[in-house]
Amino acid sequence: MGAVADRGPGETALHSMRTNNDVGTVEETVTSPQKAGTLLSAAEDVAALAGDQAARADETRRLDPDVMKVVLGAGFARHFVPVEHGGAAGTFTELTEALVTVGTACAASSWSASIVAGVGRMAGFLPAEGRAEVWKDGPDAVVVGSLAPLGRAKAVPGGWRLSGTWPSISVVDFSDWALVRAVVADSEGQALRVFVVPRAGYEIQDTWSNVGMRATGSNTLVVDDVFVPDARTFEGDDLFQGRPRSSSAACHSVPLQAVNGLSFAAPALGAARGALAVWSDYATAKFRSAPREPGGPGISRGFYATTLARAAGEIDMAYLLLDRAGRVADRGAGVTPLEAARNTRDCALAVETSVTAVNRIFAAAGTSGHSTASSLQRFWRDANAAATHIGLQFEPAAMAYASAVSAHLPDTK
């Protein structure tokens, strides 16, 4: 995708930016540690192939295997894997930029890439023995999962017996491991633990039929009384507080509240950019032929100019919020509770703003823009679907932010 000098982060002209579809698949995965900037440059190739395959993936409700291959080859799965296991222990700033790039071509592919990166990061909280098992064949193991506490586990000698059903597990069909959270008994009654289960330990049920983000293949994962050794489990609070067992990398020591929304907000922003690119191609001809002044027959140039300026500005605002959130997250353990709460707020607000832009664009697209043959309707469906994720809801984010602000201010009583 070509960049145009002197444009804002979400801005397009009426419109020269197009997706490049000339890309080959990645035949094998590189196992050396990833250099900074590699993911972002490789994301262009992922975007090209993902965009080319997006319509078919939407129909089949799963990514094309070649798209998943280039996602792994680009380094998304290894991005947060500890360096000692061949990973990059990378930054949230670079990941966010890469996800937005992919999302501009296919939001579902971006979402899938965010899952393999984000859940792989969580596996880094395992004890050393468990981490070595997960990445024994290299750092590109596909780890998927859910933090919804929908399982139950019972302590047994050497580990736990785990059972549960977790719906909406994105890219589970391509998974090597699943990371899930379950309720366990402890001295105070109940606690939550995270468990990592190999592919042989769970069943996949084909249940995904949603209107948006169809290509994520977010099917249901079922674990039925499977033994999980102690080396493949850790306390849930360690993840939420940023307390890894044996890693000092900033990407592992950051509290979850500061980063969780980034994984889901970046694909939505990418969808907004993609929608703007598609609409701008359509609107260019309309703008050139429209009357300069309102009041005559047809829609005036001001309508198209206003839609472009508002939508591009909203997308720029969303980008700036996520860019700051990523830079804050990259400070790791140095992130304050107030900054963590602000990041959650900003991710929710960025998605709201992105969806507002997409809906504005869709409303201005005319009949042809609403055709099932147009990629605009897919961006519209995917952006609105992404916004329903529980981690992106603004009211709980606002409550957490207000509480953090209140705790930060001196008591004047």
Side-chain angles (χ1 to χ4, degrees), residues 57-82:
D58 192 72
E59 292 175 3
T60 61
R61 297 178 293 115
R62 71 194 301 266
L63 293 187
D64 184 281
D66 286 340
V67 172
M68 193 62 187
K69 187 182 294 183
V70 296
V71 166
L72 298 180
F76 282 98
R78 68 175 58 192
H79 185 67
F80 290 128
V81 173

Side-chain angles (χ1 to χ4, degrees), residues 295-311:
I299 300 173
S300 73
R301 289 189 177 188
F303 170 79
Y304 297 105
T306 300
T307 300
L308 172 67
R310 287 192 182 278

Side-chain angles (χ1 to χ4, degrees), residues 137-138 142 157 177 183 224 235 239 376 390 394 405:
D137 295 324
V142 177
W177 298 85
V183 178
D224 185 14
E235 293 182 8
L239 174 62
L376 180 59
I390 190 171
F394 191 75
V405 170

Side-chain angles (χ1 to χ4, degrees), residues 279-320:
W279 178 84
S280 295
D281 283 341
Y282 155 84
T284 296
K286 296 290 186 180
F287 178 83
R288 289 171 178 166
S289 62
R292 291 182 177 274
E293 302 295 334
I299 300 173
S300 73
R301 289 189 177 188
F303 170 79
Y304 297 105
T306 300
T307 300
L308 172 67
R310 287 192 182 278
E314 288 160 346
I315 292 168
D316 281 357
M317 287 189 290
Y319 171 82
L320 293 170

Side-chain angles (χ1 to χ4, degrees), residues 176-250:
D176 299 308
W177 298 85
L179 180 148
V180 294
R181 200 157 61 128
V183 178
V184 301
D186 71 357
S187 59
E188 299 180 359
Q190 291 185 335
L192 295 174
R193 290 190 70 84
V194 177
F195 298 86
V196 177
V197 183
R199 178 63 190 86
Y202 53 89
E203 173 191 351
I204 300 170
Q205 296 178 350
D206 186 355
T207 56
W208 186 245
S209 60
N210 285 34
V211 170
M213 288 290 182
R214 289 173 56 82
T216 60
S218 301
N219 289 311
T220 297
L221 184 153
V222 180
V223 176
D224 185 14
D225 193 31
V226 169
F227 174 74
V228 181
D230 286 328
R232 283 197 268 110
T233 179
F234 58 90
E235 293 182 8
D237 200 46
D238 288 347
L239 174 62
F240 281 79
Q241 299 300 323
R243 295 194 304 254
R245 293 286 187 93
S246 54
S247 172
S248 59

